[in-house]
Amino acid sequence: MDIYDMKITDATIKEHGLTTDEYRRIVDSLGREPNLLELGIFSVMWSEHCSYKSSRRHLKNFPTKGPHVLQGPGENAGIVDIGDGLAVAFKMESHNHPSFIEPYQGAATGVGGILRDIFTMGARPIASLNSLRFGSPENKKTAFLVEGVVAGIAGYGNCIGVPTVGGEVYFNPSYNGNCLVNVMTAGLLKKDRIFRGNASGIGNPVIYAGSRTGRDGIHGAVMASDVFGEGGEERRPTVQVGDPFAEKLLLEACLELFKTDFVVGIQDMGAAGLTSSSVEMAARAHTGLELHIDRVPRREEGMTAYECMLSESQERMLMVVRKGTEEEVRKIFRKWDLEAEVVGTVIEGGNIRIMERGEVAGDIPVKFLTDDAPVYDRPIKRPLAQDELNTLDLKKIALPHNYSETLIKILSSLNVASKEWIYSQYDYMVRTDTVVCPGSDAAVVKIKGTNKAIALTVDCNSRYCYLDPRKGGAIAVAEAARNLVASGARPIALTDCLNFGNPERPEVMWQLTEAIHGIKDACIALGIPVIGGNVSLYNETSGVSVYPTPTIGMVGIIDDLKAHTTQWFKGAGDVVALIGETKPGLGGTEYLSAVHALERGDPPDIDLSAEKAVEEACLKAAGECIILSAHDLSEGGLAVSLAESAFNPKGNIGAEIDLDPKGLRADEALFAETQSRILVTVREKDVARLKAICKDAGAPLSVIGKTGGERLKIGSFIDVPVNELKEAWAGALGRYLAAHAAR
């Protein structure tokens, strides 16, 4: 019996990740029962991963327009104008479920997918970053996942020749059953040579280019839209296999093709493969496509139309070109040892029609798959335990007996400790444009042929989001902006990756909607539009959800490269100052977690007008080149920021700091994570100018000490050799992984 004549059963529907109500909706839309191929196409296009059916109505709250925005949400990547006729395309995506199942290939293909999102817009990728979340260090699988994910990112990024210039890594038990692997890439293009995923022009040919299609990754989008049970190894066949050398050839072939006028529209085959690329291109152009599945290049015998349409094999592109240019397009791809085959035609009528062996194997109106996909207004409920979670009685929190030892303990925490073990495996200098390497607040990449540079960062404190998702979402935006400003860059736009648990639980939807409101509030206050992003839901195993993790990726412009800054002290005798002020509160801090094993209380407040004032003051001072170093205060507060500033890669530089708690507890003065603070150093002669700049901006400023010596002294509380602090900080992650390997 032909598989397309198979009867669709309740079990078949469930296997495809569809509900009974959704299946009825499909039948009502088509006016008939779908066959198995059509059911498969609906299943991936209506999956959470592709349709955003739980989040779409809430994402409309984001501000998406701004003076620099050339392309907002809705395309493969957002694009911003950086002047001089140039633009930057950037986006962030997740590959969470695949990386938990198969860490090397999951992470590697996550990198490959985001790179294709960028160069399909016509941009040459120039920098990548990643945001990684792993379970508790005590969890038996954590070290295995860390090593596999890092190797996968390095293996793909290094081979293709795109520098991995920054990122962040956190550990928390909430990720024991679901690690998070979010990857971001930025690319450079001419602002008048933007390419989009558009299937225009009735009669134009549809060309498949790149690697052959295999059976890897089938139902990957559906798998990414489902919770896990224990283990997950049974999902291995849904994880794609990457080939960075094939991707490099595809990249160069596409960029050569973009120099011609052949391309009408182009899109990479990512989640849901040939299905999503063809359907989305047709939807944007309000056209239809007829695909002849027998013409699709395959690497395995006996593949059906179902398998070809749902495969997520990597390194593939789908394009519509001008009729009559087919052979010229083939020549370009043959030059790069790649296949390019005409597999279809743009048609009238608005249907996606799949032909196999000369017969119609599937025929679906495109709007049923896109515009008419389900959009849910899921129930929202604040967790009953939230009030208890937000209580914190500091009277019951004992003050440390030894603040120097406390600082060492926080610096040794894997959330604070150096991530050099990770980024040393990445080639972050390839292409020779990296100005600020991993380790400072933001990466800085110069733009050849100009005096400009762009700064890039990824940020999110998921503990804050767990305690107060609205506040945590706003802080994620503010901290990303602050990291760029501390590097001398003016923030211009962001992308996001919203990682949450099961949206069918009202408490998770509360977390998601609150975080979206927080992000929106911060974006409006700081004037930073959202130009694209990704939503990853169902990050949950056996009913245990990850902490809400709305990761923010942000790009900023440095108009004159000489104004860029880094976080490290530059020499002895410089004045240390704090822009912003420290306020009481220890809720959600790394100090409370690392020292007292508590994750509770209210996270720091965020006054967005104060944030804007601090950022404007720092940016103005950086632009005048009076700032020698600048470092955002985040995890670990003032004491940790001072220590990290002392760890200059060229040689440690100590400091002596005056600290008067002024009514605060000593641990608050040292370790509170009050927002809107930047630690800076300036020369003595520039102090008056810094004070004037801060006064004009309405930003508080305190001169707190001087650099020099071999020790870090903070009031009467901390006095430690910088070498001792750095040893604790620099080696913690490596020691943890080495100890695991020795077991």
Side-chain angles (χ1 to χ4, degrees):
M1 182 176 66
D2 192 296
I3 63 169
Y4 305 122
D5 294 328
M6 289 174 56
K7 181 174 175 56
I8 305 299
T9 65
D10 289 343
T12 313
I13 295 166
K14 185 176 181 181
E15 286 168 4
H16 283 76
L18 294 164
T19 67
T20 303
D21 286 343
E22 287 171 342
Y23 182 72
R24 289 198 196 101
R25 184 169 178 167
I26 292 169
V27 173
D28 290 343
S29 296
L30 293 175
R32 59 177 172 82
E33 297 275 338
N35 63 33
L36 188 65
L37 170 62
E38 292 167 331
L39 183 72
I41 290 172
F42 271 104
S43 77
V44 293
M45 292 307 300
W46 284 15
S47 70
E48 193 74 60
H49 192 75
C50 293
S51 73
Y52 290 7
K53 56 191 176 186
S54 298
S55 60
R56 194 189 308 179
R57 64 172 66 244
H58 303 291
L59 298 175
K60 293 177 181 178
N61 287 305
F62 286 151
T64 58
K65 299 185 184 300
H68 293 274
V69 178
L70 298 174
Q71 175 64 59
E75 269 291 344
N76 292 291
I79 300 178
V80 288
D81 187 345
I82 63 169
D84 297 319
L86 299 173
V88 169
F90 68 99
K91 191 183 180 186
M92 183 159 48
E93 282 276 4
S94 63
H95 233 218
N96 302 335
H97 282 48
S99 298
F100 184 75
I101 297 167
E102 189 68 59
Y104 184 95
Q105 290 296 349
T109 52
V111 173
I114 195 65
L115 287 167
R116 290 193 302 280
D117 280 340
I118 298 306
F119 70 77
T120 194
M121 302 296 294
R124 177 176 289 279
I126 59 172
S128 291
L129 302 89
N130 51 76
S131 174
L132 311 177
R133 298 293 196 283
F134 299 104
S136 164
E138 289 75 34
N139 183 274
K140 62 182 181 180
K141 196 170 182 179
T142 295
F144 165 74
L145 290 171
V146 172
E147 291 167 345
V149 164
V150 171
I153 293 170
Y156 208 102
N158 294 356
C159 288
I160 200 170
V162 176
T164 301
V165 297
E168 60 172 6
V169 185
Y170 288 90
F171 297 81
N172 185 278
S174 80
Y175 305 107
N176 281 350
N178 283 87
C179 63
L180 301 184
V181 176
N182 296 174
V183 287
M184 172 181 167
T185 293
L188 188 66
L189 70 160
K190 293 181 179 178
K191 63 180 289 187
D192 60 352
R193 295 293 290 169
I194 297 172
F195 292 84
R196 294 177 171 89
N198 191 314
S200 299
I202 305 303
N204 277 333
V206 179
I207 293 183
Y208 169 119
S211 297
R212 293 186 166 213
T213 295
R215 289 188 170 97
D216 55 321
I218 294 174
H219 285 304
V222 175
M223 177 270 291
S225 307
D226 193 10
V227 294
F228 279 163
E230 290 298 334
E233 287 75 10
E234 72 280 0
R235 305 285 194 130
R236 286 186 193 279
T238 62
V239 178
Q240 310 92 329
V241 178
D243 180 350
F245 300 104
E247 179 111 338
K248 174 64 173 173
L249 297 175
L250 184 62
L251 162 64
E252 298 300 339
C254 287
L255 292 180
E256 182 172 335
L257 179 66
F258 293 151
K259 295 176 182 177
T260 72
D261 64 351
F262 303 156
V263 179
V264 174
I266 183 169
Q267 180 154 327
D268 81 294
M269 294 189 224
L274 183 55
T275 291
S276 63
S277 56
S278 57
V279 168
E280 290 171 5
M281 289 178 73
R284 293 189 189 105
H286 305 289
T287 59
L289 291 182
E290 183 173 275
L291 300 178
H292 293 264
I293 213 71
D294 302 320
R295 303 176 190 171
V296 171
R298 311 171 196 201
R299 64 170 184 260
E300 299 184 43
E301 294 291 331
M303 290 187 68
T304 64
Y306 180 96
E307 292 171 319
C308 289
M309 289 299 293
L310 301 188
S311 168
E312 293 184 9
S313 293
Q314 297 291 287
E315 296 86 40
R316 301 180 300 160
M317 284 283 178
L318 193 70
M319 63 193 77
V320 173
V321 302
R322 287 193 299 107
K323 191 172 183 178
T325 66
E326 297 92 326
E327 187 53 37
E328 293 299 317
V329 172
R330 285 194 191 98
K331 283 181 182 178
I332 291 173
F333 283 93
R334 280 201 296 265
K335 170 186 171 183
W336 293 98
D337 293 327
L338 295 171
E339 293 185 76
E341 298 295 337
V342 176
V343 296
T345 309
V346 180
I347 60 174
E348 293 180 337
N351 279 27
I352 185 82
R353 183 177 304 136
I354 298 96
M355 307 295 295
E356 186 177 33
R357 298 189 297 273
E359 296 183 358
V360 176
D363 196 355
I364 306 171
V366 168
K367 70 173 185 176
F368 291 172
L369 299 168
T370 55
D371 297 343
D372 292 350
V375 177
Y376 292 124
D377 188 7
R378 295 197 186 276
I380 296 171
K381 182 181 179 182
R382 188 174 187 268
L384 295 175
Q386 201 70 32
D387 287 339
E388 169 61 23
L389 188 63
N390 291 144
T391 61
L392 178 64
D393 186 355
L394 284 182
K395 294 177 183 177
K396 297 181 179 179
I397 306 297
L399 290 167
H401 296 297
N402 186 315
Y403 288 96
S404 295
E405 291 180 357
T406 301
L407 175 57
I408 289 172
K409 187 167 186 176
I410 297 172
L411 289 170
S412 302
S413 160
L414 295 190
N415 288 338
V416 172
S418 169
K419 307 306 185 294
E420 186 175 3
W421 183 91
I422 292 174
Y423 66 73
S424 64
Q425 298 181 54
Y426 303 152
D427 187 343
Y428 47 78
M429 292 303 295
V430 65
R431 296 186 56 80
T432 69
D433 294 328
T434 309
V435 176
V436 177
C437 300
S440 195
D441 280 330
V444 176
V445 177
K446 66 183 178 183
I447 305 299
K448 280 189 171 78
T450 75
N451 289 325
K452 286 186 167 72
I454 60 169
L456 311 97
T457 188
V458 288
D459 287 283
C460 180
N461 186 314
S462 58
R463 188 185 295 133
Y464 294 168
C465 297
Y466 169 62
L467 297 173
D468 187 331
R470 186 164 189 155
K471 201 183 290 185
I475 288 174
V477 175
E479 184 176 345
R482 209 179 312 132
N483 282 341
L484 296 182
V485 165
S487 303
R490 174 168 36 92
I492 57 171
L494 68 81
T495 180
D496 59 56
C497 201
L498 308 180
N499 307 272
F500 290 80
N502 183 350
E504 296 165 42
R505 294 202 290 122
E507 294 81 5
V508 170
M509 281 305 300
W510 177 79
Q511 293 175 332
L512 174 62
T513 55
E514 285 291 291
I516 287 172
H517 282 302
I519 293 169
K520 178 200 71 173
D521 293 343
C523 286
I524 291 172
L526 301 177
I528 302 170
V530 179
I531 64 167
N534 176 62
V535 179
S536 175
L537 304 180
Y538 294 96
N539 292 289
E540 187 170 300
T541 296
S542 299
V544 179
S545 172
V546 300
Y547 275 5
T549 311
T551 309
I552 301 298
M554 196 177 291
V555 169
I557 299 176
I558 303 174
D559 292 318
D560 189 341
L561 186 55
K562 69 181 181 182
H564 85 274
T565 53
T566 56
Q567 70 183 43
W568 304 293
F569 297 151
K570 300 302 186 294
D574 296 327
V575 174
V576 183
L578 181 66
I579 306 176
E581 57 184 333
T582 304
K583 296 181 180 179
L586 290 170
T589 59
E590 188 64 28
Y591 160 73
L592 204 63
S593 176
V595 177
H596 297 284
L598 290 174
E599 293 191 328
R600 61 186 305 120
D602 283 319
D605 288 329
I606 176 73
D607 180 335
L608 292 167
S609 61
E611 177 71 36
K612 191 170 181 66
V614 166
E615 291 183 16
E616 287 179 351
C618 185
L619 196 56
K620 173 71 172 172
E624 294 186 12
C625 297
I626 65 172
I627 287 184
L628 301 173
S629 71
H631 188 16
D632 162 47
L633 271 68
S634 55
E635 288 82 9
L638 177 63
V640 167
S641 183
L642 286 163
E644 290 174 337
S645 299
F647 303 152
N648 189 311
K650 295 180 180 178
N652 296 333
I653 299 170
E656 187 163 351
I657 304 299
D658 298 321
L659 183 68
D660 180 358
K662 296 179 181 177
L664 299 176
R665 288 169 49 122
D667 52 359
E668 288 177 318
L670 290 165
F671 307 120
E673 294 174 9
T674 307
Q675 295 299 294
S676 311
R677 295 183 298 166
I678 300 176
L679 188 72
V680 300
T681 57
V682 296
R683 296 181 181 87
E684 186 79 53
K685 68 181 182 63
D686 292 322
V687 172
R689 179 57 187 150
L690 179 61
K691 288 181 177 178
I693 289 171
C694 289
K695 183 178 180 181
D696 288 346
L701 178 73
S702 304
V703 173
I704 60 173
K706 281 199 171 183
T707 61
E710 298 179 352
R711 305 179 72 85
L712 178 61
K713 301 178 181 179
I714 307 177
S716 60
F717 303 101
I718 291 173
D719 185 354
V720 194
V722 176
N723 285 346
E724 187 176 332
L725 295 174
K726 187 169 185 180
E727 182 181 356
W729 171 83
L733 182 56
R735 287 191 293 268
Y736 160 68
L737 293 169
H740 177 270
R743 289 174 191 165

